[in-house]
Every structure is written in C-alpha cells, then in structure tokens.
Amino acid sequence: MCRLINWVLKYLHPSRLLCCLVSHAQTVDQFKDQPRLPKFAVPKRYDIRLRPDLVACSFSGSVAIDLDIVAPTSYIVLNAAELSVSDDAASFTNRDSSKVFKPSRVELFKQDQILVLEFPDSLPIGLGVLTIQFEGTLNDRMKGFYRSKYEHNGEQKNMAVTQFEPADARKCFPCWDEPACKATFKITLDVPSELTALSNMPVIEEKINGNIKTVSYQESPIMSTYLVAVVVGLFDFVEDHTSDGVKVRVYCQVGKSNQGKFALFVAVKTLELFKHYFETPYSLPKLDMIAIPDFGAGAMENYGLVTYRETNLLYDDQHSAAAYKQRVAIVVTHELAHQWFGNLVTMEWWTHLWLNEGFATWVSYLATDSLFPEWKIWSQFLDETIEGLKLDGLAESHPIEVEINHAHEIDEIFDAISYRKGASVIRMLQSYLGAECFQRSLASYIKRYACSNAKTEDLWAALEEGSGEPVNKLMDSWTKQKGYPVVTVRVNNEKLEFEQSQFLSSGAQGEGHWIVPITLCLGSYDVCKNFLLQEKTETRDVNELFGSQIPQEIGPRSWIKLNVDQTGFYRVKYDEGLAAGLRYAVEKQLLSATDRFGILDDLYALCMARKERLTSLLALMGAYREELDYIVLSNLITISHEVERIAADSVPELLDNIKQFFINLFQFSAEKLGWDPKPGESHLDAMLRGEVLTALAVCGHDLTLDEASRRFQAFLEDRSTQLLPPDIRKATYVAVMQRARKSNRFAYESLLKVYRETDLSQEKTRILSSLASSHDPDLILEALNFMLSSEVRSQDAVFGLAVSLEGREVTWTWFKENWEHLLKTYGAGYLITRFVSATVSPFASFEKAKEVEEFFATRSQPAIARTLRQSLERVHINASWVHSVRNEQHLAQAVQELAFGKY
C-alpha cells in the first residue's frame, strides 16, 4: 500500500489525482438513482444453479447469463440485492474469441439494488456469457428466496419458496430484473434427496449423491424474471390432465391433498376455457399449483408453478364456508388468466401493471361465471367496482397508468386502481364494444404480442382495429388521469340535462373530464338507450331519446335509471323527483339487483361527500327492508357499518336508535334465512346468512347474541356438531366476542383454544378476524399482541386489525409502540401498507390526522408514502362528514321514526 501511495505522489500532481478520482466516481455514480437499467447489454438466456440449506436458512448459487453486448461499454450493470458477490466471483467470456474478461471492480449498490461490474477494457460487441457466483439468506419476509415453516410428524421444518413479483428475483440471483428483459431459463437445484423440488418446467433429470439430489429442469420459454419460481419441501399432491394432455397438479402439505381437489377441477376446466377464449393454447407442458403456509400476497402467477396462500387454494367440504369456495375459484381463474395475460404477453414496464392485473381480475369473473353460473358472479363483480371507486374518489389516488421511477414504488400500485378500476373499465369497454367483438380483438392481441411485451396503446390499437371504434380516444381519459365522474341528471320540462364533474369523496371540486358511455332506462328494461357523454354538460330531448315509449310524466310512479346494471365506472346524482321515482322502484322490486345496488351505493358516496343528507340515505335504506338478494344486502350491511361508525363520532346520542333501525332492516332477511342451511338452498343464500347474522350481532341484537352463544357452547363440546356449520362460524365468533370482556374471558380463551387445535388455515383466519371485535379495549389490546406472537403466521396478523369502534385508539397506540417491529418484519410491501391503512383510516378527527402526521414525520418510508397520504385523506373526509352530520337538521326526528318502523 505504501509503494502505491509513493508512486501516486511521485507521478501524479494533486490536481490531476483529484480530477482522476472525481472522474472515476462519476462513471460509477452515473448508474445510481436510475429508474431503469442501462440498455447496452441484453440478456438472452439464464443457466441458474441453486443450493438451498434449509437448516442454516442460507443458499449458494451460480448463474451463467448469455448476453448480447449491443453498445460499446466497459460496464455490465444488472440488479442484485441482499446477495454476497466477491470480487473474483464474476467474469465475462466473449463467444467468438473465447477471451475471458475479469472485472477490475465489483460493486453492489444497496440502495439502488444494482450490481456494477467495471472492466479495464471495453467489452466486444456481440454475444458472450456472464458468470457470477453468489450467496444469500433464505429470509423470513416472504419476498425473494425465503423460508416458510410447516409441521410434519410433530416436527417443525422449513421449505424454500420464491416470490419475485414485482422486483425480488434480484434477491435470489443477479439478473436484469425488469419485465421487458425477457429470456429463457435453465434451472438446476441441489436439494435434500427426500424433498420435492419444483420449478416452472418439468424435471428432465434427477441424480442422487448421498443425501443430496441434483434436479434439472427443461429450459423455459421466454419470460420475465419475476415469473421464475422454485419451491423445495415435503408435499402431497392430486393430479389430473386437460383434454389436450397438459398435466395439472395441486401440491399441499402432507395430509391435506383432499383439500386440493376443488382447485384442481377449477384449474383443468379453466385452462380449456381460456384456450378457446384467447384462441391460443396454454404454452407449457405442465401446470403446478402449490399452497404455501407463509405467503405474503394472495397468490402469484409464476409460469407453470403458481403459488398460493393456503386459504386461496385449499377447500374442505366439511369445514370451509361457501365464501371460501368462491374465493378459491376466483383466485385460481385469476392466476391462470395470467398464464396468457402477463406471462405470455407481458407489460413492458410497471406503468402498465394494470394490463396484467385488471385483465386477470375481469377475466376471472368471466371464467367463474362459465363454471358456476348459479353463483351469479357478475353481480358480485360490483364489489370490485366499488373498491375501485372508493380509492379513486381520493385526491391521493393515481392514474391506472402510473409513472414508476424506482423499484420501491412498485408495491404500492398493486392496489384497487390497478386491479379493480382496471377490471371495471375493461368491463365498461366490453359492454360498449360488445362481447363477441371484444373477444375476437383480444385474441388477436394475444397472438400478436405472444412471447413479447406490450403497452396499453397496443391493446387499444387491437381493439380499435377489431371494432372500428375510437377506442384509444375513448379510453385515454380513463387510464391516463386519476378519478372518475359523477353524472348529475335533471328533468327540465321534457328534456334531460346531464352534467359531469369529477367525483371526490372529500366533496371538493375536481378537474377531470371523461368520455362517458351513458346507458339509461325509462320505466322498463325494454326501454333502454345509450350514448357517449363527451362534453361537461349535454341536454337530450326525452321524446327524441325514447319516442312514443315514454310515460305521460316522469315522476314518483315512473323512473329513469342511468348506468344500467352498473357497467360504467361512474356515479350518478339524480334530482329530487328522479330520486323519488327510483326509491319507489326499489320498494316495488322493479329494478335489477345490480341497479338496486348502484342506487344505494351512489347515494352513500354522495352522502359521505356531503352532497346529500344522511336523512336521505337512511330513508333510502329503509326501502330495502324486504331485500333478499346477496349482493344488495351485503352492500347494505357494509354501508350500515360505515353509518354507525360516523354516527358514533358525530351523534352518539342517536346511536342506539340507528342500531335499532338497522336491526329492523336486517330481521326480515334473517328470519327468511334462519340459522340452519336449508336443503337445496343456493350458494348465495349460504354466504348471505353469515353476513346478516354478523350484522345483527354487531348491532347488539340480543336474540342473535343469545343463539350464537348457545351454538358456540355446543361447538366447544362437540366440534362436529351440526349446530355450527362453516357458513355461520364467523358470525358466531364475532357474536360471542360482543359480550367478552377482560373480566369475562370465556369466549376469548375458547376461540384461542379452537385456533390452537385446528390445522385449517381458513378456520384460523376466521378466528383472527373475530378476536378484536370485543368492546373492551383491554381485551382488544391482548388480541393485537397475540397477532404478533409466534403462534400467528406473519401474513395473517393483518386479519386481527378488524377491531370494533372502541378499539381504534388502542390499536393506534399499539401500532406506534410496535412500529419498528412491524417495519422489520414486513419491510416494504403489501402487508405493511395494510397495517398503515387499517390503523389510520377509521379515525374521524382533524386532531387525529395531525397526530398521525407528526408520528410519521420522522418515520415514513418510501414504500408506504402513498398509502399514508391516502389514509390521512380518509381521516379528513371522515372528520368533515362528522361535522356535517352534527349540523344536519331534523336528523334526530328522522332516526326516531326509522327506529320505530316509520319508513
């Protein structure tokens, strides 16, 4: 070292030395803080070998990457994170000359998650092979290459699992971890010989050497790094084949294989359905689906090896509720849709994430409806639309196409905009273009971009070409700007006046402007018209629209309904006369279930935005007193919980009467459904029973609480009792916790006992989501602390955030005390945002918003920044609504009348 310093001092003037050092630093720093990798090297093929150690929870590996050097460079820059790469562990070999280039510097930039290899000479243009050896840790954060725990024969064991979406393949092997950098993958695993090792492709060779076996897999088709998958553990499976010979398996923990049969049935049927719908066969020789005990998301569409949270793949005929059966079908069809929409045709960059998730969400309903038409699943699609509308009604929403400038920003856009708004605008477009034209154009798009990448504009071009409609112009307003319109409609003489403006839940004025596909009916679904609302305001003559079909007058005994069957992603505000006509139509059951749903949800949203009075909302809710449709009643229940929450903060003296009104509202359906399943009843009735009973329990209905207690006691004495079928267990658990206190712990302790005894994931999540529904803050705190214990899997702790009104403050205090632990456990990603949103959003005071802002002033992380802003906006919206309700005239009288049956 001394000789080097002397040489430098002798031959370099200090100014030249400084200049040299600055120049060198700049050459390295040019790659930092960049949203994308440089383009001078293009990966073509990866040969990956991994050796996981499931005892030490570490792994070692090597990768040989076929590269095309396409521009002069003395650097290779790729992604790597949480890996150890030594200075002598990398080299580049030119394909033509076989010359080996060793880097003079190997630097891992932790913040940017890039590995920079600097070479003393410029690399030759053309093909070569980059080889890198590396080591890493099987982490416990459910991202990258991680470990999941399971029990076999009473012994705790580890399995190795990958979860790479959106940008965590780099935590397993150095790579070009961007969706546009597609390549083929040849994977080899060295694993304990007694274990099953799965990857994207079928096994071509296994060699056993003592207690280690080397498993080699077929080379994959071209795909993105985030779709590479590896799972190593001990599993059972069930198997079937599609009609054209694709082998389909469902893997799960040993002893649970029977629970995989329903998902297997759905998968086989779905692959065949999508083959015809997309006019392209599934492109791999096998499809494996596997249930992972520790899994952060709901599922992941890895090509040929789809990973799932257990609750989203396994279904037990004896102990799973009907809602879980539906959930499994929706999730399986969603993930298999990705095998075409995402895996075969991939978004070019995360800005276009919605192309993956919006389409997979929409098409999952298409497939589920085909397989189970009796479920009326398209009416339940409204749940997706409503969640999209809720998030997109915030000023802190984002466009469907959102700019992504760093990897840490990606996780937050896996949200209701990309999934639910994306799916909803697709449904709106399909409704406008027609189902047949839409399918034909979609199939053409898949064929055109197969094994490649696409942008939103590419899809619009295919649909425009197939339909002849100006799709790009129509849809740009829905994908490139955030928000959506509320369309106000008024009757003026014999004219209908339409006005669009951006809807914001805060009640503020927005700037947006959309091309809105308007559908409307007048008095009958046989009298239906549609047009595009392109201006801010437009007027249509009723006679011109409907001709001789119109009634003599538009009033309380006739009705006009916009957004027929809720296929459009917008809200509607009616003038007083039209609103009266629609209430009459609701009472007389003249409208479809989806339209009854839409009228209620629009008025609720307008009420929250202080554009309508709470008395108007409560009066409309009274019109649903004999409602029996699942989707309508389910939304009525959701809205009742929100109204109760706002009333508790604004008019607590009226809360008992408001609860009594809701009890009256739900008793009709509760009596029709009863507690016990009826022979031959529908899937929807089975789901509805639990929701109605839960609503009555939360409102404090004594008869419901007493019956729940009786049945729970019978269940504790005999787990196989017929008195507590799966569909009402959640309702019963919530009910018994209503009377639980720190001094009356029987229900709480009993639920913990059931939790500890069951190995069914769905039963565990039922219990976790019920424990904090007590009214006792001390018991709620105990439940929250249990969520962070070793008895609860990390991904399940968020279920415990379903706290009662009395639990908001104690949850916030608990959250603050455990923030560092939560951050360490969940890091950046989907789950940490759930903690923030669930804890902060329920508050309804400006003072609390300020307190939250002050707490996060020194603690905020880039990965939660958007979620925190959205949560704080919700608090401000709630606070403004509370203030408005406090000042509402005649509310007490209206509530009194409603509580005692005067609708």
Side-chain angles (χ1 to χ4, degrees), residues 706-723:
D706 291 343
E707 182 63 13
S709 180
R710 182 181 78 84
R711 289 173 181 258
F712 184 60
Q713 185 61 48
F715 175 68
L716 294 177
E717 294 167 4
D718 176 12
R719 295 289 194 274
S720 61
T721 179
Q722 297 299 304
L723 286 174

Side-chain angles (χ1 to χ4, degrees), residues 41-46 65-68 175-176 181-184:
V42 179
K44 297 295 184 182
R45 179 183 184 272
Y46 292 79
I65 309 172
D66 290 1
L67 284 184
D68 189 3
C175 57
W176 277 255
C181 297
K182 284 189 163 186
T184 61

Side-chain angles (χ1 to χ4, degrees), residues 201-218:
M201 301 299 290
V203 174
I204 54 173
E205 185 180 46
E206 279 193 13
K207 291 182 180 177
I208 296 180
N209 183 11
N211 60 355
I212 296 293
K213 67 179 176 183
T214 299
V215 187
S216 300
Y217 302 88
Q218 288 180 25

Side-chain angles (χ1 to χ4, degrees), residues 58-76:
S58 62
F59 65 92
S60 58
S62 63
V63 62
I65 309 172
D66 290 1
L67 284 184
D68 189 3
I69 306 297
V70 297
T73 180
S74 56
Y75 297 92
I76 293 178

Side-chain angles (χ1 to χ4, degrees), residues 298-473:
M300 175 60 210
E301 67 267 20
N302 315 298
Y303 224 164
L305 176 56
V306 185
T307 46
Y308 294 81
R309 189 181 283 220
E310 283 194 340
T311 51
N312 290 337
L313 186 67
L314 305 183
Y315 174 76
D316 185 313
D317 285 324
Q318 299 299 313
H319 300 287
S320 297
Y324 281 110
K325 187 174 190 178
Q326 182 174 293
R327 176 70 179 161
V328 169
I330 287 283
V331 176
V332 168
T333 53
H334 178 107
E335 302 309 322
L336 298 197
H338 276 309
Q339 306 302 304
W340 285 263
F341 236 101
N343 300 9
L344 184 62
V345 178
T346 312
M347 67 209 161
E348 192 275 335
W349 179 239
W350 297 104
T351 291
H352 307 281
L353 172 68
W354 86 280
L355 281 177
N356 280 15
E357 301 303 349
F359 258 91
T361 300
W362 174 78
V363 97
S364 69
Y365 280 79
L366 189 81
T368 303
D369 183 59
S370 177
L371 295 176
F372 307 101
E374 68 278 10
W375 291 0
K376 300 179 182 177
I377 201 72
W378 276 119
S379 70
Q380 295 181 63
F381 182 84
L382 292 176
D383 285 337
E384 306 284 355
T385 301
I386 292 310
E387 289 305 311
L389 290 168
K390 284 178 180 176
L391 180 53
D392 212 27
L394 300 180
E396 289 292 347
S397 180
H398 63 82
I400 284 178
E401 296 181 67
V402 58
E403 286 301 315
I404 296 296
N405 296 308
H406 198 281
H408 62 59
E409 298 174 7
I410 304 171
D411 275 313
E412 281 198 295
I413 65 165
F414 282 79
D415 62 7
I417 301 300
S418 298
Y419 283 72
R420 290 164 163 174
K421 181 182 180 181
S424 298
V425 299
I426 288 161
R427 182 175 183 237
M428 180 170 67
L429 180 60
Q430 187 231 21
S431 177
Y432 177 73
L433 298 179
E436 187 178 330
C437 167
F438 190 83
Q439 179 272 325
R440 232 180 18 250
S441 304
L442 203 56
S444 172
Y445 166 84
I446 292 286
K447 292 171 188 173
R448 185 176 303 169
Y449 294 98
C451 302
S452 185
N453 297 84
K455 299 180 179 180
T456 300
E457 291 77 13
D458 299 322
L459 175 62
W460 295 159
L463 289 165
E464 197 161 300
E465 185 181 308
S467 67
E469 295 284 344
V471 174
N472 195 66
K473 179 184 176 185

Side-chain angles (χ1 to χ4, degrees), residues 164 281 436 458-459 486 489 510 536 570 624 653 685 802 882:
F164 291 162
E436 187 178 330
D458 299 322
L459 175 62
V486 53
V489 57
K536 286 276 190 179
Y570 58 93
Y624 292 82
E653 70 279 6
D685 279 352
V882 163

Side-chain angles (χ1 to χ4, degrees), residues 763-781:
E763 179 75 326
K764 285 183 180 292
T765 57
R766 265 196 294 255
I767 293 168
L768 293 176
S769 61
S770 306
L771 278 177
S773 53
S774 165
H775 298 283
D776 183 347
D778 290 336
L779 200 56
I780 292 169
L781 178 59

